[in-house]
Amino acid sequence: MRDFWCDRSVFVTGCTGLLGSWLVADLVQRGARVTGLVRDLVPQSRLYMEDWHQRINIVRGCVEDLPALERAINEYEIDTVFHLAAQTIVGVANREPLATFETNIKGTWNVLEACRKVGGVSRIVVASSDKAYGDQEVLPYDETTPLQGEHPYDVSKSCADLICRTYYVSYGLPVCITRCGNFYGGGDLNFNRIVPDTIRSALRDKPVVIRSDGSFIRDYFYAKDGVLAYLHLAEQMDRREIWGEAFNFSNELQITVVEMVRKILGLMDKSHLEPIILNQAKNEIIHQYLSAEKARRLLNWKPQYSLDECLRETIEWYEHFFNLASKPLALLMQK
């Protein structure tokens, strides 16, 4: 449904982030009129490195600023909102819980309130997380699993998720919620995450350092598959019966941290680099695993990429990224 997005006015928060930068690029290529909310200038973001910022409207501001959101939605006559902006790092959330709550909880209600007050928005997709479910004994998580985060980041996502539901139930706002696992892919500049950190370490011929004991199981989801899932969900929102619903998107693979590290090292011919395991992780869920049965059944959705294919593409992106970073600035300016 590429024509669906042609000339549609779309607002993306978090557009310098991993998923946001891929989403902006895809929307631009589909002919959408994209407006992005940018808090900080991040020169190494794909949004800037690949010049996507030159093809969209940029609104300077943050999701904590309700008037800025209202102005953007009103002046650019926004039809579709993808709310991706968040403080996404668990360690940062543990150190600065209030700032995380401000961004992730208040930021979400501000986006929804701006849409409610301005009006005219036909669909809103809000990024929650598998962390919203908290630590559960029964796996995999499905959408009926209670939202019971306990640690700061997890709680912020549980709350934001519930706020979306109330804006649908109380005000009829056309909102859907996505719950995905750990996104990875080219463009992730948070090198405390295991995939980019492993690739960077391997490229430097150094062993990667694992904070946990390596046995934590995570639901890894490729950014490009995430973009396709978000777009597909938004396209399906002509069906009012899915408004207010949450959907898990996952390739439904259970992979431990150390298994992911060894797979990446194998693909890079760096299997001799034995990871250093610190076993120091705190306030993290041990086992996470999503069921995507609801998305398959109600949305006719399925992932498009295999794990090895995703990792090879990701490795190639970082090889190019670090190759560019190693060149003198004068040479890069000649492009």
Side-chain angles (χ1 to χ4, degrees):
M1 295 180 65
R2 298 189 73 88
D3 290 346
F4 179 92
W5 296 102
C6 188
D7 294 325
R8 193 175 292 266
S9 186
V10 182
F11 185 49
V12 181
T13 72
C15 60
T16 61
L18 168 60
L19 186 64
S21 61
W22 283 103
L23 179 61
V24 165
D26 203 314
L27 284 167
V28 168
Q29 290 171 319
R30 292 170 187 257
R33 294 182 287 114
V34 180
T35 299
L37 183 73
V38 174
R39 185 190 69 176
D40 298 331
L41 178 64
V42 185
Q44 290 186 315
S45 165
R46 288 185 66 249
L47 187 74
Y48 293 100
M49 287 191 69
E50 300 178 17
D51 292 334
W52 296 109
H53 69 290
Q54 296 186 9
R55 302 176 65 180
I56 68 172
N57 307 313
I58 297 287
V59 173
R60 299 289 179 185
C62 61
V63 290
E64 294 90 336
D65 185 350
L66 178 58
L69 295 170
E70 291 180 7
R71 182 186 71 80
I73 291 168
N74 185 33
E75 290 188 9
Y76 291 97
E77 298 182 307
I78 298 300
D79 168 84
T80 300
V81 173
F82 290 99
H83 175 42
L84 310 181
Q87 195 300 101
T88 61
I89 305 302
V90 171
V92 173
N94 291 336
R95 294 191 298 272
E96 293 286 346
L98 296 187
T100 298
F101 296 155
E102 282 274 327
T103 301
N104 295 2
I105 303 174
K106 181 179 180 180
T108 299
W109 84 51
N110 276 349
V111 169
L112 297 173
E113 180 66 3
C115 292
R116 185 184 75 86
K117 290 176 69 175
V118 174
V121 176
S122 72
R123 63 203 74 223
I124 308 158
V125 177
V126 175
S128 183
S129 167
D130 58 352
K131 310 296 186 297
Y133 293 117
D135 207 348
Q136 301 280 348
E137 291 185 5
V138 178
L139 293 170
Y141 307 137
D142 66 26
E143 291 82 354
T144 65
T145 302
L147 303 179
Q148 56 183 41
E150 294 181 334
H151 306 307
Y153 177 74
D154 312 341
V155 166
S156 78
K157 285 301 187 180
S158 298
C159 292
D161 203 308
L162 289 168
I163 287 167
C164 293
R165 179 68 183 173
T166 199
Y167 265 84
Y168 164 70
V169 172
S170 300
Y171 305 110
L173 210 63
V175 59
C176 282
I177 303 131
T178 64
R179 298 175 187 152
C180 303
N182 289 20
F183 279 112
Y184 70 94
D188 188 357
L189 302 178
N190 289 305
F191 286 99
N192 56 359
R193 290 185 179 137
I194 197 64
V195 173
D197 191 25
T198 300
I199 295 171
R200 181 178 65 174
S201 297
L203 289 172
R204 295 175 176 174
D205 211 36
K206 295 180 179 179
V208 67
V209 176
I210 298 175
R211 296 192 317 274
S212 68
D213 65 2
S215 68
F216 288 14
I217 293 174
R218 290 291 178 264
D219 198 311
Y220 296 96
F221 197 44
Y222 190 39
K224 288 167 68 172
D225 247 338
V227 166
L228 295 176
Y230 276 58
L231 294 176
H232 183 71
L233 174 58
E235 291 163 9
Q236 293 290 307
M237 288 179 69
D238 284 334
R239 300 159 50 202
R240 292 179 66 98
E241 65 267 23
I242 69 170
W243 289 9
E245 293 292 318
F247 293 92
N248 293 342
F249 291 106
S250 168
N251 54 21
E252 298 177 303
L253 297 176
Q254 297 187 71
I255 306 173
T256 67
V257 171
V258 76
E259 285 172 344
M260 179 60 93
V261 168
R262 295 192 190 285
K263 179 169 278 291
I264 293 169
L265 294 175
L267 290 170
M268 298 180 71
D269 293 324
K270 298 280 188 173
S271 297
H272 62 281
L273 296 173
E274 193 65 24
I276 298 170
I277 297 177
L278 298 181
N279 195 18
Q280 295 176 351
K282 295 180 180 179
N283 293 352
E284 293 198 34
I285 299 166
I286 293 173
H287 190 174
Q288 294 175 300
Y289 169 39
L290 289 164
S291 166
E293 188 275 333
K294 181 179 177 181
R296 291 196 303 271
R297 175 170 47 85
L298 293 184
L299 305 177
N300 193 29
W301 173 84
K302 62 181 180 180
Q304 300 298 312
Y305 294 87
S306 68
L307 179 61
D308 282 9
E309 178 186 9
C310 300
L311 289 175
R312 287 192 183 96
E313 285 189 2
T314 303
I315 292 164
E316 288 175 5
W317 189 92
Y318 283 104
E319 287 173 340
H320 179 68
F321 174 78
F322 286 115
N323 183 49
L324 280 180
S326 68
K327 291 182 179 179
L329 181 60
L331 290 177
L332 296 179
M333 295 293 286
Q334 294 174 8
K335 286 201 309 176

